[in-house]
């Protein structure tokens, strides 16, 4: 198989997982890493075993050995890095959000179309075998017609006032924090699994900690506060939100997100109640899929390739009882994306498990509609699918 060269821009928390995932495919070379300076580019490249380290994303994009650019920078750089890669005709794997605003994402959708390359956004929970199983079960009618989708995405890594991330700075993270960062995952997952589209939202957003201690140096995501010097800063973006949603079919929903919820590490839950039964998937117990029934005992399907549908089976790589996890689901998406690139296909031929730039744009639109709803006092707001 022809080898494909990959370059990573932004090697903080999630970037190294992009590297691990593509390495497992067997036909991808990790050519280069770009950091925020020459020194950090070199150091991150060495740490990740990449051949070259660059101090600027443009240098990495210009490298003829890099065919696929992975964008894992803080949100405020997403548009610039992705746009520059597309202008150079490179395939792009963008971490979410696709861009800071829907307007920027809209531009990237157009730029990607013009470039004619393969593009994808890492809404990675889609890559879990039991998420695909739930999607197929709903499409087959196992739970009947969905009428209520609910759940949450809660974390606790920003619970203390000494916890800080660029996500809380609107200049670097965007106008939304918790909703954009993790609410976007919930919305994408709910739509992907149900096949429905969120059309209206009503949001109630809160800043639980209106002041925090911001470290003077840089700190990567999920890193605990150290003894470094810190300044008091005002926080204007939300760290907690509850949202009512309506779907295009008439189904209703509700979800809450927050990064200030003690004990919830990466607690993403999606339950879909239908006219016949309910189905629930919980990220922290991701090898189990719950089905709820009215007239017989509820069931828990343990992830086992021999017990799940054929089309979901290719996302499960270990026998039953051998737990698969976050990184495996991430790798599943890379297998789909790079399979498409290797076959010379276009983004249109990506398997449904892979979120497209259009999906990334829709996620921005939903978050912006929720912010508008809250700003206007909590009124139903249409998600304008422009
Ligand atoms: N899909 C997921 O589940 C998931 C999980 C975490 C983060 N993310 C997304 O990934 C992105 C990165 O998040 P993170 O948690 O890894 O953040 P992070 O702060 O841990 O890492 C960002 C990295 O980018 C580097 N960087 C900053 N400016 C740069 C520049 N000009 N050129 C190259 N590198 C630069 C920083 O030095 C840092 O190493 C965000 O957009 C976030 O939303 C997605």
């Amino acid at each position: 198989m022809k080898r494909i060269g990959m370059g990573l821009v932004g090697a903080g928390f999630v970037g190294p997982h992009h590297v691990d995932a593509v390495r497992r495919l067997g036909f991808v070379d990790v050519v280069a890493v770009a950091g925020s300076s020459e020194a950090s580019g070199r150091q991150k490249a060495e740490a990740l075993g990449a051949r070259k380290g660059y101090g600027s994303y443009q240098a990495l994009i210009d490298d003829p050995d890099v065919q696929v650019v992975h964008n894992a920078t803080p949100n405020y750089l997403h548009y610039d890095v992705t746009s520059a890669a597309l202008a150079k005709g490179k395939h792009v794997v963008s971490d979410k959000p696709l861009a800071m605003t829907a307007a920027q994402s809209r531009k990237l959708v157009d730029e990607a179309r013009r470039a004619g390359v393969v593009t994808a956004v890492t809404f990675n929970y889609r890559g879990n075998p039991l998420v695909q199983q739930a999607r197929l079960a709903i499409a087959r009618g196992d739970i009947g017609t969905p009428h209520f989708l609910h759940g949450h995405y809660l974390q606790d890594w920003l619970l203390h006032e000494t916890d800080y991330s660029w996500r809380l700075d609107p200049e670097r993270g965007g106008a939304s924090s918790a909703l954009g960062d993790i609410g976007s995952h919930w919305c994408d997952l709910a739509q992907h699994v149900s096949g429905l589209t969120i059309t209206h939202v009503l949001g109630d957003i809160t800043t639980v900690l209106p002041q925090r201690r911001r470290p003077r140096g840089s700190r990567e995501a999920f890193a605990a506060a150290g003894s470094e010097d810190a300044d008091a800063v005002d926080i204007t973006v939300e760290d907690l939100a509850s949202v009512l949603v309506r779907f295009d079919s008439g189904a209703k929903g509700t979800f809450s997100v927050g990064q200030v919820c003690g004990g919830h590490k990466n607690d993403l839950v999606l339950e879909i109640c239908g006219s016949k039964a309910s189905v629930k998937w919980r990220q922290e117990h991701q090898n189990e899929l719950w089905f709820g029934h009215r007239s017989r005992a509820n069931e828990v399907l343990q992830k086992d390739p021999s017990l799940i549908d054929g089309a979901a089976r290719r996302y499960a790589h270990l026998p039953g009882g051998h737990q698969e996890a976050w990184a495996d689901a991430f790798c599943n998406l890379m297998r789909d994306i790079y399979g498409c690139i290797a076959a010379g296909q276009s983004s249109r031929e990506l398997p449904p498990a892979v979120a497209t730039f259009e999906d990334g744009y829709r996620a921005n639109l939903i978050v912006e509609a929720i912010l508008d709803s809250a700003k206007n006092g909590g009124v139903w707001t249409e998600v304008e699918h422009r």
Side-chain angles (χ1 to χ4, degrees), residues 12-14 35 72-73 75 78 95-96 122 124 166-167 185 220-221:
F13 161 65
V14 85
T73 55
N75 299 354
H78 281 201
D95 220 309
K96 42 59 56 178
T122 48
N124 42 293
W166 52 258
R167 289 161 171 82
H185 271 298
E220 282 169 0

Side-chain angles (χ1 to χ4, degrees), residues 4 11 14 51 136 150 161 210 214 227 285 371:
I4 298 174
V14 85
R51 292 210 308 270
L136 295 167
H150 64 105
E161 63 148 17
R214 182 179 60 201
S227 55
H285 299 271
L371 292 186

Side-chain angles (χ1 to χ4, degrees), residues 9-15 34-36 40 44 57 71-78 95-97 122-125 166-167 181 185 219-222 326 330:
V9 186
F13 161 65
V14 85
S36 51
S40 99
K44 303 259 171 162
Y57 63 81
N71 187 355
T73 55
N75 299 354
Y76 74 100
L77 289 167
H78 281 201
D95 220 309
K96 42 59 56 178
T122 48
F123 280 119
N124 42 293
Y125 298 110
W166 52 258
R167 289 161 171 82
D181 197 36
H185 271 298
R219 192 191 291 163
E220 282 169 0
F222 296 101
W326 192 97
F330 205 87

Side-chain angles (χ1 to χ4, degrees), residues 7-9 14 18 68-75 77-83 85-86 90-100 105 108 112 118-124 185 330 333-334 337-338 354-357 359-361 364:
L8 170 71
V9 186
V14 85
H18 286 245
V68 190
V69 174
H70 287 237
N71 187 355
T73 55
N75 299 354
L77 289 167
H78 281 201
Y79 176 81
D80 291 349
V81 173
T82 296
S83 180
L86 292 172
K90 305 286 165 121
H91 307 289
V92 179
V93 177
S94 170
D95 220 309
K96 42 59 56 178
L98 176 55
M100 284 244 283
S105 285
L108 289 177
V118 173
T119 50
V121 182
T122 48
F123 280 119
N124 42 293
H185 271 298
F330 205 87
L333 293 189
M334 297 306 152
I337 297 165
Y338 277 80
V354 181
T356 62
F357 273 21
D359 295 322
Y361 167 56
N364 282 119

Side-chain angles (χ1 to χ4, degrees), residues 288-306:
E288 295 176 357
L289 189 63
W290 178 86
F291 288 92
H293 302 289
R294 154 84 178 257
S295 309
R296 62 184 166 94
N298 297 338
E299 303 164 274
V300 175
L301 170 66
Q302 304 263 3
K303 186 237 33 166
D304 181 335
S306 71

